[in-house]
Amino acid sequence: MEAGKRRKDPAVRRGLVGAMCTTTALLCNACGAAAGTSAHPACRPPGSRTLAFDGRVRVYSLPGRTPFQRSSYACLLASGRTVALGARGLPQVRVGPVALSGALVAYVTTTMGIDTSSATVSELDLSAARPLPGSTPAASPPRRPESFVSVTDLQITARGSIAWIARTSGIMQPVPVFEVREQLRSRPARLLARGPVVRPGSLRLLRGRVGWVEGSSTVSAPLP
């Protein structure tokens, strides 16, 4: 098989099941750790709601002036360095899902309009001297009016490579189409798969690869 090509692998399917169980356990442990963490006070403002936590970074949201407004932030627990994510306080903007790996943060910003929505995927390195996020569209440009784009899955590696599953639909597209995409740091995003049988919620990292489910098959591709 040519290197770099996606492949179907029964072992990957077993790995996906194990990874799902491990992820659930880690999330439970993280919730408990977050409650008793000795993080910098700047990372624990009153009224904040945790969106993601991994022992080095806490991503949280704060309420705005109305019940529909929330602003989101990423905070480095050791130093208290805090960076705002997305457009702060706008009711039509939502941040999430979020994925963490050390000081690296990947997050989705979804903007809702009238009969439309769009999403971008951004990456942020909180350990950088000037942590400025870079973003890319979550899916291919819509071909129809009144279209909707969202992200169901998001993963980031220790090297900063990210992968995600985007969901696209529209008034004239009753069956949602899903795209699996990956992006290595400072490189353009690459389409790995597209179609209605890609299963949302199935994206997992597995030993230098990213795996997902298409119909009854488990597929994987390199993600260094």
Side-chain angles (χ1 to χ4, degrees), residues 78-142:
S79 65
R81 168 181 276 177
T82 303
V83 176
L85 308 180
R88 289 179 288 177
L90 297 178
Q92 69 271 26
V93 176
R94 299 287 185 272
V95 172
V98 178
L100 304 176
S101 180
L104 300 175
V105 182
Y107 64 96
V108 175
T109 304
T110 304
T111 303
M112 277 75 68
I114 299 175
D115 294 329
T116 187
S117 68
S118 61
T120 59
V121 178
S122 301
E123 184 176 350
L124 175 69
D125 185 354
L126 284 174
S127 66
R130 297 183 62 191
L132 300 175
S135 61
T136 188
S140 304

Side-chain angles (χ1 to χ4, degrees), residues 117-174:
S117 68
S118 61
T120 59
V121 178
S122 301
E123 184 176 350
L124 175 69
D125 185 354
L126 284 174
S127 66
R130 297 183 62 191
L132 300 175
S135 61
T136 188
S140 304
R143 300 177 181 178
R144 299 178 176 88
E146 299 184 350
S147 59
F148 304 90
V149 178
S150 60
V151 173
T152 63
D153 302 52
L154 180 65
Q155 298 283 352
I156 184 170
T157 70
R159 293 185 177 183
S161 299
I162 54 179
W164 66 92
I165 297 179
R167 180 186 189 273
T168 65
S169 61
I171 301 300
M172 303 300 293
Q173 182 186 323

